[in-house]
Amino acid sequence: MSSARTGETPGMNTGKDAADPHRWWGLVVIALAQLMVVLDATIVNIALPSAQHDLGMSDGNRQWVITAYTLAFGGLLLLGGRIADLVGRKRTFVIGLVGFAVASAFGGAAQTPGMLFGARALQGVFAAVLAPSALSLLTTAFTDPRERGKAFGIYGALAGSGSAIGFVVGGLLTEYLNWRWCLYVNVPIAILAVFGASALLHDRPGHSGARLDVPGALLGCGGLVAIVYGFSEAQPRGWSDPLVLGLFAAGPVLLAAFVRWQNRASSPLLPLHIVSDRNRAGCFLTMALATIAMFGLFLFLTYYLQVILGYSPVRAGLGFLPLTLAIITGSTQISARLLYRVAPRMLMVPGTLLAACGLLLLTRMTVSSSYTTEILPALLLMGLGMGLTFMPVFAVATAGVAPQDSGVTSATVNTSQQVGGSIGTALLNTIATSSSVTYLAAHLHSPAQRAAVVPESVVHGYTTAIWWAVGVMLLAGLVAGLLVTAKPPKQDTPAETPVAEPVG
């Protein structure tokens, strides 16, 4: 970027470009908000049996406590990213925090299943506003490659481990307080983050002259929601159900129409040059595939620990702690230190291979497996692998993006994660359930066998689905190796931040 374009003389250090002295405290605020958003995708999992009993949910409807959140979050992230670009990142960040807190309080006070489902969907809406602005603020606050690597290491660790942390927190709150506190806990966190954001975060004004691409939002969000909803409904309804087939047909059609519209729109929701970049496309696809493999596993292990091994909610939640610690270690102590020394794919490919090896170990699970000798090693391998993978994905996907596009780019990264997680949970759960039913029909010859055969069928379903997860994780590594060709950032030169062009 030439000095003529910026209007500054070479070597000049202006106050505008000087490093924010409060940037690390600002990172704490951003990380706190991101952790709240990510862990809320799983914090209610362990609490779900208690909530189902209290509110009288049916087995068919209880899934909406999870999917209402992930569908709204994943489906509206692109719109949330563009709102952050238009209104301003800091303002959008604060609006998202306040809305998330209100929705959480509404959910904690729910007296009917419908109230809880609605509150979870509303949480997803405000999470879709909050998450892109958080990553945009982080991207613009850290420009030095070494600091940027450390900052993204912390952020990537939270993005990768937040789901596992949700299980631990959910278990503690459910066992010692009440399932409602899995939602109420967001209120004080959001209030603290609002005060921190007001005092510590800084931002450029939004591009108020531009307009939201409403047709693009309807087509893009509708297509994503249709696909994720289709996978969610495939398990209770079956793959050949007319509604499921209709959703799978409508999703690609809507997304194709979305792409066509983006080529014609004067102010597109998702400028196609963002996803046409080879490195970004590789990162988006790697993230989606990796989370397809991982998020379904969280569901299986939760039920395996509590139902098969008989763990309490707290003990089951703590069983995920090694995974969380391994993700943080891989992200902050390995990826963050190596990002500016090696090509990003040299971290992403080994990371996905390590995670695949961890998943492979879990295919050997039985009804009497030992946590210490069989489950724990797998969790450690998966955690280190995801730590190596997530951090460079976030860093590469958001590097070199013009300020007016940083919000929508950040939203696309998060969309990849949330949509991948939604699809993975629904798809792998359907595979596990179908395999379990088949196994039970083949091995249950008399009612006396039921007590022994049913647990075996459930675990057989889990391991069958995990084999599919291994394949998806290996595919993520292949995509990263072939598509992500970015070089490591130079340690002695600051990262360039393109100057915003007029919009509208």
Side-chain angles (χ1 to χ4, degrees):
M1 183 166 60
S2 67
S3 58
R5 180 159 181 199
T6 61
E8 299 163 12
T9 59
M12 181 178 178
N13 184 18
T14 66
K16 179 181 177 180
D17 294 330
D20 181 359
H22 302 300
R23 61 192 179 280
W24 290 106
W25 284 109
L27 174 61
V28 172
V29 174
I30 294 170
L32 190 66
Q34 176 65 15
L35 177 62
M36 181 180 66
V37 167
V38 175
L39 67 81
D40 240 71
T42 57
I43 193 172
V44 299
N45 274 270
I46 292 180
L48 189 52
S50 299
Q52 181 181 1
H53 180 267
D54 279 2
L55 300 182
M57 288 181 235
S58 68
D59 289 344
N61 287 336
R62 66 185 179 186
Q63 65 168 323
W64 286 107
V65 177
I66 308 300
T67 55
Y69 180 81
T70 55
L71 280 172
F73 192 3
L76 294 174
L77 266 169
L78 288 174
L79 183 63
R82 184 52 73 192
I83 290 173
D85 288 331
L86 299 180
V87 177
R89 286 75 163 173
K90 179 178 176 179
R91 183 181 299 175
T92 306
F93 184 77
V94 172
I95 291 172
L97 285 170
V98 173
F100 200 92
V102 172
S104 298
F106 182 69
Q111 299 300 312
T112 65
M115 287 180 64
L116 183 56
F117 301 157
R120 290 289 287 167
L122 195 60
Q123 278 186 308
V125 170
F126 284 105
V129 173
L130 179 59
S133 56
L135 187 52
S136 296
L137 288 167
L138 176 63
T139 301
T140 55
F142 294 91
T143 55
D144 178 79
R146 180 183 290 274
E147 289 192 346
R148 187 181 177 91
K150 292 179 180 179
F152 272 104
I154 295 170
Y155 188 89
L158 290 172
S161 64
S163 297
I165 293 174
F167 285 110
V168 177
V169 176
L172 290 169
L173 293 174
T174 300
E175 188 157 334
Y176 293 110
L177 290 174
N178 185 284
W179 68 266
R180 297 180 184 276
W181 279 96
C182 292
L183 296 162
Y184 285 144
V185 70
N186 293 319
V187 177
I189 294 175
I191 291 173
L192 183 63
V194 166
F195 283 110
S198 300
L200 299 170
L201 298 182
H202 305 284
D203 186 30
R204 300 180 180 90
H207 303 280
S208 57
R211 295 181 179 179
L212 284 177
D213 178 16
V214 177
L218 294 175
L219 291 171
C221 296
L224 290 173
V225 169
I227 293 173
V228 175
Y229 185 28
F231 278 112
S232 298
E233 290 297 302
Q235 190 274 324
R237 294 175 178 267
W239 292 101
S240 60
D241 181 82
L243 174 62
V244 174
L245 293 177
L247 289 167
F248 285 149
V253 170
L254 288 171
L255 290 179
F258 168 76
V259 173
R260 182 179 177 86
W261 173 255
Q262 295 308 285
N263 276 320
R264 301 169 51 194
S266 58
S267 181
L269 180 68
L270 175 61
L272 294 183
H273 66 265
I274 291 175
V275 293
S276 64
D277 177 84
R278 176 174 179 163
N279 287 297
R280 289 195 198 99
C283 287
F284 298 151
L285 190 53
T286 298
M287 174 64 83
L289 291 169
T291 50
I292 284 175
M294 290 294 292
F295 272 55
L297 178 73
F298 292 155
L299 180 65
F300 299 152
L301 280 182
T302 300
Y303 281 94
Y304 178 78
L305 293 175
Q306 292 191 75
V307 177
I308 304 299
L309 298 186
Y311 282 22
S312 68
V314 169
R315 192 179 179 190
L318 292 175
F320 285 92
L321 189 57
L323 174 67
T324 302
L325 296 177
I327 291 175
I328 293 173
T329 300
S331 185
T332 61
Q333 301 304 311
I334 301 176
S335 278
R337 296 175 184 270
L338 295 179
L339 183 65
Y340 56 86
R341 297 181 181 178
V342 301
R345 65 178 172 182
M346 297 304 294
L347 297 172
M348 296 163 66
V349 173
T352 53
L353 290 177
L354 274 177
C357 288
L359 289 167
L360 195 61
L361 289 180
L362 289 178
T363 61
R364 301 170 63 242
M365 283 193 313
T366 67
V367 293
S368 58
S369 291
S370 166
Y371 174 85
T372 303
T373 59
E374 298 176 62
I375 308 301
L376 179 59
L379 294 178
L380 293 175
L381 285 175
M382 288 187 294
L384 287 173
M386 288 297 91
L388 284 171
T389 303
F390 283 137
M391 185 266 180
V393 163
F394 279 114
V396 174
T398 57
V401 179
Q404 70 268 22
D405 289 331
S406 63
V408 71
T409 304
S410 304
T412 309
V413 180
N414 282 283
T415 295
S416 301
Q417 186 178 40
Q418 291 302 316
V419 172
S422 300
I423 291 174
T425 300
L427 173 61
L428 295 181
N429 188 60
T430 298
I431 293 172
T433 302
S434 302
S435 178
S436 178
V437 170
T438 302
Y439 183 94
L440 189 63
H443 292 81
L444 184 62
H445 304 296
S446 69
Q449 295 177 298
R450 188 170 187 85
V453 176
V454 169
E456 290 177 0
S457 69
V458 171
V459 175
H460 174 78
Y462 294 164
T463 55
T464 301
I466 292 171
W467 272 111
W468 283 82
V470 171
V472 174
M473 189 64 75
L474 290 175
L475 182 58
L478 181 63
V479 168
L482 293 178
L483 294 184
V484 182
T485 59
K487 297 180 180 179
K490 294 182 179 180
Q491 184 176 347
D492 56 347
T493 57
E496 291 188 352
T497 303
V499 174
E501 298 292 344
V503 178

PDB file of all heavy atoms in Angstrom, residues 5 39 62 65 158 169 208 247 251 263 265 286 290 309 345 396 401 407 409 426:
ATOM      1  N   ARG A   5      -1.410   6.814  -1.326  1.00  0.00           N
ATOM      2  CA  ARG A   5      -2.816   6.474  -1.133  1.00  0.00           C
ATOM      3  C   ARG A   5      -3.283   6.840   0.259  1.00  0.00           C
ATOM      4  O   ARG A   5      -4.423   7.242   0.470  1.00  0.00           O
ATOM      5  CB  ARG A   5      -3.026   4.973  -1.380  1.00  0.00           C
ATOM      6  CG  ARG A   5      -4.463   4.596  -1.179  1.00  0.00           C
ATOM      7  CD  ARG A   5      -4.789   3.317  -1.868  1.00  0.00           C
ATOM      8  NE  ARG A   5      -6.207   3.029  -1.661  1.00  0.00           N
ATOM      9  CZ  ARG A   5      -6.727   1.845  -1.808  1.00  0.00           C
ATOM     10  NH1 ARG A   5      -5.982   0.832  -2.141  1.00  0.00           N
ATOM     11  NH2 ARG A   5      -8.024   1.655  -1.618  1.00  0.00           N
ATOM     12  N   LEU A  39     -20.044 -21.031  23.494  1.00  0.00           N
ATOM     13  CA  LEU A  39     -20.419 -22.070  24.462  1.00  0.00           C
ATOM     14  C   LEU A  39     -21.932 -22.232  24.569  1.00  0.00           C
ATOM     15  O   LEU A  39     -22.420 -23.284  24.982  1.00  0.00           O
ATOM     16  CB  LEU A  39     -19.788 -21.810  25.826  1.00  0.00           C
ATOM     17  CG  LEU A  39     -20.193 -20.614  26.690  1.00  0.00           C
ATOM     18  CD1 LEU A  39     -21.466 -20.874  27.466  1.00  0.00           C
ATOM     19  CD2 LEU A  39     -19.062 -20.291  27.670  1.00  0.00           C
ATOM     20  N   ARG A  62     -37.628 -31.845  21.648  1.00  0.00           N
ATOM     21  CA  ARG A  62     -36.524 -31.362  22.480  1.00  0.00           C
ATOM     22  C   ARG A  62     -35.316 -30.907  21.666  1.00  0.00           C
ATOM     23  O   ARG A  62     -34.534 -30.066  22.121  1.00  0.00           O
ATOM     24  CB  ARG A  62     -36.104 -32.450  23.459  1.00  0.00           C
ATOM     25  CG  ARG A  62     -35.493 -33.681  22.812  1.00  0.00           C
ATOM     26  CD  ARG A  62     -35.216 -34.777  23.809  1.00  0.00           C
ATOM     27  NE  ARG A  62     -34.649 -35.948  23.168  1.00  0.00           N
ATOM     28  CZ  ARG A  62     -34.421 -37.096  23.788  1.00  0.00           C
ATOM     29  NH1 ARG A  62     -34.736 -37.220  25.076  1.00  0.00           N
ATOM     30  NH2 ARG A  62     -33.905 -38.119  23.141  1.00  0.00           N
ATOM     31  N   VAL A  65     -34.297 -27.086  21.203  1.00  0.00           N
ATOM     32  CA  VAL A  65     -33.507 -26.297  22.147  1.00  0.00           C
ATOM     33  C   VAL A  65     -32.108 -26.062  21.582  1.00  0.00           C
ATOM     34  O   VAL A  65     -31.502 -25.009  21.788  1.00  0.00           O
ATOM     35  CB  VAL A  65     -33.418 -27.010  23.512  1.00  0.00           C
ATOM     36  CG1 VAL A  65     -32.536 -26.244  24.480  1.00  0.00           C
ATOM     37  CG2 VAL A  65     -34.816 -27.176  24.103  1.00  0.00           C
ATOM     38  N   LEU A 158     -10.619 -20.001  22.017  1.00  0.00           N
ATOM     39  CA  LEU A 158     -11.977 -19.872  22.538  1.00  0.00           C
ATOM     40  C   LEU A 158     -13.003 -20.367  21.525  1.00  0.00           C
ATOM     41  O   LEU A 158     -13.980 -21.025  21.882  1.00  0.00           O
ATOM     42  CB  LEU A 158     -12.263 -18.416  22.907  1.00  0.00           C
ATOM     43  CG  LEU A 158     -11.495 -17.908  24.119  1.00  0.00           C
ATOM     44  CD1 LEU A 158     -11.704 -16.409  24.290  1.00  0.00           C
ATOM     45  CD2 LEU A 158     -11.923 -18.640  25.377  1.00  0.00           C
ATOM     46  N   VAL A 169     -19.447 -26.131  32.062  1.00  0.00           N
ATOM     47  CA  VAL A 169     -20.259 -25.147  32.761  1.00  0.00           C
ATOM     48  C   VAL A 169     -21.700 -25.639  32.884  1.00  0.00           C
ATOM     49  O   VAL A 169     -22.337 -25.491  33.944  1.00  0.00           O
ATOM     50  CB  VAL A 169     -20.203 -23.783  32.039  1.00  0.00           C
ATOM     51  CG1 VAL A 169     -21.136 -22.781  32.709  1.00  0.00           C
ATOM     52  CG2 VAL A 169     -18.780 -23.246  32.031  1.00  0.00           C
ATOM     53  N   SER A 208     -22.779   4.360   6.509  1.00  0.00           N
ATOM     54  CA  SER A 208     -24.227   4.563   6.580  1.00  0.00           C
ATOM     55  C   SER A 208     -24.860   4.813   5.225  1.00  0.00           C
ATOM     56  O   SER A 208     -26.070   4.709   5.071  1.00  0.00           O
ATOM     57  CB  SER A 208     -24.548   5.742   7.509  1.00  0.00           C
ATOM     58  OG  SER A 208     -23.878   6.920   7.062  1.00  0.00           O
ATOM     59  N   LEU A 247     -36.834 -29.809   1.532  1.00  0.00           N
ATOM     60  CA  LEU A 247     -35.832 -28.897   2.081  1.00  0.00           C
ATOM     61  C   LEU A 247     -34.486 -29.065   1.386  1.00  0.00           C
ATOM     62  O   LEU A 247     -33.799 -28.082   1.072  1.00  0.00           O
ATOM     63  CB  LEU A 247     -35.679 -29.128   3.586  1.00  0.00           C
ATOM     64  CG  LEU A 247     -36.857 -28.672   4.448  1.00  0.00           C
ATOM     65  CD1 LEU A 247     -36.734 -29.229   5.862  1.00  0.00           C
ATOM     66  CD2 LEU A 247     -36.942 -27.143   4.480  1.00  0.00           C
ATOM     67  N   GLY A 251     -32.868 -25.907  -0.605  1.00  0.00           N
ATOM     68  CA  GLY A 251     -31.636 -25.280  -0.139  1.00  0.00           C
ATOM     69  C   GLY A 251     -30.668 -24.944  -1.258  1.00  0.00           C
ATOM     70  O   GLY A 251     -30.280 -23.772  -1.423  1.00  0.00           O
ATOM     71  N   ASN A 263     -24.101 -11.424  -8.044  1.00  0.00           N
ATOM     72  CA  ASN A 263     -23.422 -10.894  -9.230  1.00  0.00           C
ATOM     73  C   ASN A 263     -24.126  -9.674  -9.799  1.00  0.00           C
ATOM     74  O   ASN A 263     -23.517  -8.893 -10.537  1.00  0.00           O
ATOM     75  CB  ASN A 263     -23.352 -11.977 -10.319  1.00  0.00           C
ATOM     76  CG  ASN A 263     -22.173 -12.894 -10.122  1.00  0.00           C
ATOM     77  OD1 ASN A 263     -21.087 -12.456  -9.768  1.00  0.00           O
ATOM     78  ND2 ASN A 263     -22.393 -14.189 -10.351  1.00  0.00           N
ATOM     79  N   ALA A 265     -26.396  -7.578  -7.725  1.00  0.00           N
ATOM     80  CA  ALA A 265     -26.757  -6.583  -6.711  1.00  0.00           C
ATOM     81  C   ALA A 265     -25.749  -5.434  -6.683  1.00  0.00           C
ATOM     82  O   ALA A 265     -24.540  -5.641  -6.810  1.00  0.00           O
ATOM     83  CB  ALA A 265     -26.831  -7.248  -5.344  1.00  0.00           C
ATOM     84  N   THR A 286     -12.527 -25.708   5.026  1.00  0.00           N
ATOM     85  CA  THR A 286     -11.847 -26.481   6.075  1.00  0.00           C
ATOM     86  C   THR A 286     -12.579 -26.348   7.403  1.00  0.00           C
ATOM     87  O   THR A 286     -12.786 -27.337   8.122  1.00  0.00           O
ATOM     88  CB  THR A 286     -10.391 -26.009   6.231  1.00  0.00           C
ATOM     89  OG1 THR A 286      -9.686 -26.223   5.002  1.00  0.00           O
ATOM     90  CG2 THR A 286      -9.680 -26.774   7.344  1.00  0.00           C
ATOM     91  N   ALA A 290     -14.353 -29.507   9.317  1.00  0.00           N
ATOM     92  CA  ALA A 290     -13.822 -29.880  10.636  1.00  0.00           C
ATOM     93  C   ALA A 290     -14.919 -29.847  11.699  1.00  0.00           C
ATOM     94  O   ALA A 290     -14.982 -30.726  12.564  1.00  0.00           O
ATOM     95  CB  ALA A 290     -12.674 -28.956  11.028  1.00  0.00           C
ATOM     96  N   LEU A 309     -21.869 -44.954  30.518  1.00  0.00           N
ATOM     97  CA  LEU A 309     -20.946 -45.110  31.648  1.00  0.00           C
ATOM     98  C   LEU A 309     -21.533 -44.642  32.969  1.00  0.00           C
ATOM     99  O   LEU A 309     -20.937 -44.868  34.020  1.00  0.00           O
ATOM    100  CB  LEU A 309     -19.634 -44.356  31.364  1.00  0.00           C
ATOM    101  CG  LEU A 309     -18.823 -44.823  30.144  1.00  0.00           C
ATOM    102  CD1 LEU A 309     -17.488 -44.083  30.087  1.00  0.00           C
ATOM    103  CD2 LEU A 309     -18.592 -46.333  30.178  1.00  0.00           C
ATOM    104  N   ARG A 345      -0.951 -23.796   6.012  1.00  0.00           N
ATOM    105  CA  ARG A 345      -1.382 -25.172   5.777  1.00  0.00           C
ATOM    106  C   ARG A 345      -0.466 -26.193   6.451  1.00  0.00           C
ATOM    107  O   ARG A 345      -0.878 -27.338   6.673  1.00  0.00           O
ATOM    108  CB  ARG A 345      -1.484 -25.466   4.283  1.00  0.00           C
ATOM    109  CG  ARG A 345      -0.175 -25.433   3.514  1.00  0.00           C
ATOM    110  CD  ARG A 345      -0.439 -25.799   2.067  1.00  0.00           C
ATOM    111  NE  ARG A 345       0.740 -25.597   1.226  1.00  0.00           N
ATOM    112  CZ  ARG A 345       0.746 -25.806  -0.092  1.00  0.00           C
ATOM    113  NH1 ARG A 345      -0.358 -26.201  -0.687  1.00  0.00           N
ATOM    114  NH2 ARG A 345       1.840 -25.601  -0.798  1.00  0.00           N
ATOM    115  N   VAL A 396      -5.960 -16.472   8.484  1.00  0.00           N
ATOM    116  CA  VAL A 396      -5.842 -16.387   7.030  1.00  0.00           C
ATOM    117  C   VAL A 396      -7.123 -15.859   6.404  1.00  0.00           C
ATOM    118  O   VAL A 396      -7.093 -15.041   5.485  1.00  0.00           O
ATOM    119  CB  VAL A 396      -5.467 -17.768   6.441  1.00  0.00           C
ATOM    120  CG1 VAL A 396      -5.494 -17.722   4.913  1.00  0.00           C
ATOM    121  CG2 VAL A 396      -4.096 -18.200   6.928  1.00  0.00           C
ATOM    122  N   VAL A 401      -8.314  -7.990   4.189  1.00  0.00           N
ATOM    123  CA  VAL A 401      -9.676  -7.642   3.776  1.00  0.00           C
ATOM    124  C   VAL A 401      -9.902  -6.152   3.987  1.00  0.00           C
ATOM    125  O   VAL A 401      -9.501  -5.594   5.010  1.00  0.00           O
ATOM    126  CB  VAL A 401     -10.717  -8.450   4.585  1.00  0.00           C
ATOM    127  CG1 VAL A 401     -12.131  -8.079   4.180  1.00  0.00           C
ATOM    128  CG2 VAL A 401     -10.484  -9.944   4.382  1.00  0.00           C
ATOM    129  N   GLY A 407     -16.469  -7.122   8.300  1.00  0.00           N
ATOM    130  CA  GLY A 407     -17.573  -7.710   9.049  1.00  0.00           C
ATOM    131  C   GLY A 407     -18.181  -8.908   8.342  1.00  0.00           C
ATOM    132  O   GLY A 407     -18.411  -9.953   8.937  1.00  0.00           O
ATOM    133  N   THR A 409     -16.749 -10.749   6.065  1.00  0.00           N
ATOM    134  CA  THR A 409     -15.757 -11.827   6.001  1.00  0.00           C
ATOM    135  C   THR A 409     -15.728 -12.598   7.316  1.00  0.00           C
ATOM    136  O   THR A 409     -15.698 -13.835   7.330  1.00  0.00           O
ATOM    137  CB  THR A 409     -14.361 -11.260   5.698  1.00  0.00           C
ATOM    138  OG1 THR A 409     -14.413 -10.508   4.483  1.00  0.00           O
ATOM    139  CG2 THR A 409     -13.345 -12.372   5.558  1.00  0.00           C
ATOM    140  N   ALA A 426     -26.797 -32.977  13.177  1.00  0.00           N
ATOM    141  CA  ALA A 426     -27.981 -33.632  12.608  1.00  0.00           C
ATOM    142  C   ALA A 426     -27.611 -34.840  11.757  1.00  0.00           C
ATOM    143  O   ALA A 426     -28.213 -35.910  11.877  1.00  0.00           O
ATOM    144  CB  ALA A 426     -28.768 -32.618  11.782  1.00  0.00           C
TER     145      ALA A 426
END
